[in-house]
Amino acid sequence: MSTENEVAEIEEAKIPGNYSARKIQRWNPSSIYATNIIHNNFRNNVKSNDAIHKNLPVNHVSPAQMYSTDSGRMFHAGSICIIMVGLPGRGKTNLSISLCRYLRWLGVRTELFHLGDYRRKNTDLNKETDLNFDKLNSNSYFSLQPENSNIKNLKSKIKSELIEDIIGFFETSNGQIAIYDAINGLSSERKRLLDFFKSKNIKCLFIESIIDDVELLNENIRDAVNSPDYKSWDSEAALKNFTNRIKANEAYYEHLDSKVANLPFIQSYNFGEKILINDLKHDFLTTKIIYYLLNAKIKSHSIYFARCSLNKLKFKDDPPITENGKVYINKIYNTLASSFTDQKIPKDLVVWTSTRLRTIQSSQIFKNAGCTVRHRPELTQLNPGAAEGLTDQELDEKFHESYVKHLSDPYHHRYPRAESYHDLALKIEPLILEMEKLSHDVLIIADETIIRIFYGYLMASNANDIPLIEFPQNEIIKITYHTYNNEIENLVVDGIAKE
């Protein structure tokens, strides 16, 4: 029995990095993943192309990461290889990239390993031999059971390179989840992968994408011919070639089977319409993956971002829209309309704003055009707290210690009674999942602080860059989903100051 004088002692952690992240503070600036102090003269525009296919740099910090560790890994999740399964044209690549984007957002060190990239790399080095792309087609490379022995050896070599890189990702890059994107259509092959990764203390999760909706399948096949394989191809020839590729696999393809002992898998039908799971332990990451798959859709639409008017207001102020604000939103409306083929705002456009009065009133023009308008409290701008309205010099004088911390980590730091960008990222996660479910264009009218967070998700940004990204008042930002990456375009709004 305990007594009043007994004092419980905290056992020293076996993994110091994880312990220091919990014991000292949630974000550990001494971590090898923390950035150096950001100088004021670096506050330029750091917008860039989609970084989802770039290898994670050692100093990458994820926007919605829940805690930091010196290893950069979630200490309770282990190493997982997600092995995609499915016939060509079933959205495996689209799903792999979307899932990678979401997992990185959550702070899971995740990398993509597309078998097609490895094949293209090998065949590009041998354009004058039997290994070039056209010859591969004629030699039935894309069959699950090719008859040509040279093709069999080549496929084995390419897969070995990919698996070797996966192991290197786990062993030398602090990797946590590798996503292996390929058909993986034979039960015997999947069993070998399961046994091999188990011998390396890496868990496997098989995800099969099944599409039995004919309309959805045809749409997905049309999208698949935009693959890098068909860069210089005529669209009809590419479609015919890809269709033949599907037929070459159908004869041998085997679906995931629950009768195979200890095979952990998820079968997703028509992108989340129905999900079957087998032999899964519902740990944190597995649960997150299942929930994401229930929300993920094939995406080829665009997300538009426009800043709201009256951006100089105090956080608690909530006045109605001004005359200048009405002029501004009309110009936003007309610029956006002119970007569509028929020069009209489509009625299936979904508009999101915050619950502030001026943004609600700003959206009325879109409601009048027949669009669905939704007001989300999560879209309220970052609360600056006690720092509101103060210059850098005043912040330094009034909150010197806090100001120095802010310079070191402007993404996670909060001034007194304020929010951080990290707080915003956690707050809008439900909206990100809702956005993943939509298949129509979305316009988000919000403060620049909110746009930065959404941009960080859609373009796989390092969290440390997000506070520095500039979105001028006179631009609508258009981010379009594509199978392999998201693309950004700036639509300039005439007659509006840049600010």
Side-chain angles (χ1 to χ4, degrees), residues 187-243:
S187 293
S188 57
E189 184 179 8
R190 296 193 288 262
K191 183 65 167 61
R192 283 196 298 271
L193 288 170
L194 181 67
D195 292 341
F196 172 78
F197 284 115
K198 185 177 180 180
S199 71
K200 300 289 184 180
N201 199 29
I202 297 167
K203 293 181 287 187
C204 283
L205 171 59
F206 295 88
I207 299 179
E208 182 177 18
S209 182
I210 300 172
I211 300 181
D212 54 18
D213 181 310
V214 176
E215 185 178 343
L216 179 60
L217 178 59
N218 290 335
E219 180 183 335
N220 208 47
I221 289 173
R222 286 193 296 270
D223 187 52
V225 298
N226 295 317
S227 155
D229 282 341
Y230 301 109
K231 275 185 178 178
S232 58
W233 284 52
D234 172 77
S235 57
E236 289 188 12
L239 184 60
K240 181 179 179 181
N241 180 276
F242 191 76
T243 303

Side-chain angles (χ1 to χ4, degrees), residues 295-489:
N295 289 278
K297 302 296 179 191
I298 292 283
K299 297 179 285 294
S300 57
H301 57 285
S302 299
I303 310 293
Y304 297 86
F305 297 96
R307 282 177 55 182
C308 55
S309 61
L310 294 176
N311 291 287
K312 306 299 183 183
L313 289 172
K314 289 188 175 181
F315 179 77
K316 293 184 179 180
D317 289 348
D318 191 19
I321 191 170
T322 64
E323 288 303 314
N324 286 339
K326 293 176 183 178
V327 171
Y328 171 74
I329 200 63
N330 271 278
K331 289 183 181 293
I332 292 289
Y333 180 92
N334 292 332
T335 300
L336 186 59
S338 66
S339 70
F340 292 99
T341 305
D342 58 0
Q343 306 288 297
K344 293 181 180 179
I345 296 289
K347 290 188 178 181
D348 61 4
L349 176 74
V350 178
V351 181
W352 289 357
T353 78
S354 74
T355 53
R356 294 299 175 95
L357 179 59
R358 65 187 184 280
T359 58
I360 292 174
Q361 293 174 338
S362 293
S363 66
Q364 187 62 45
I365 188 172
F366 294 95
K367 187 177 288 188
N368 293 342
C371 300
T372 299
V373 177
R374 295 170 181 160
H375 307 297
R376 305 295 195 198
E378 298 93 337
L379 295 179
T380 302
Q381 71 265 36
L382 183 146
N383 183 352
E388 185 169 43
L390 300 181
T391 65
D392 283 356
Q393 182 178 348
E394 290 168 336
L395 287 169
D396 191 13
E397 292 173 355
K398 189 172 183 179
F399 305 108
H400 176 72
E401 184 177 344
S402 189
Y403 178 69
V404 171
K405 288 181 178 178
H406 187 81
L407 288 179
S408 177
D409 189 0
Y411 185 82
H412 295 103
H413 176 262
R414 303 183 192 94
Y415 282 106
R417 302 188 303 282
E419 287 180 306
S420 68
Y421 278 99
H422 182 252
D423 295 329
L424 292 187
L426 297 178
K427 185 170 69 174
I428 70 168
E429 185 185 350
L431 296 188
I432 283 174
L433 288 169
E434 184 175 344
M435 188 169 67
E436 290 290 306
K437 292 175 68 172
L438 297 174
S439 55
H440 300 300
D441 291 343
V442 181
L443 168 65
I444 298 176
I445 303 173
D447 184 78
E448 187 175 31
T449 54
I450 294 292
I451 296 175
R452 285 169 175 160
I453 298 294
F454 276 105
Y455 177 92
Y457 172 75
L458 291 167
M459 304 305 281
S461 301
N462 188 321
N464 294 314
D465 292 335
I466 287 176
L468 310 177
I469 304 174
E470 297 176 356
F471 296 98
Q473 188 85 43
N474 69 334
E475 288 183 359
I476 298 172
I477 307 302
K478 176 183 179 182
I479 298 179
T480 303
Y481 291 106
H482 292 285
T483 302
Y484 289 89
N485 59 273
N486 295 339
E487 292 184 358
I488 185 168
E489 180 183 354

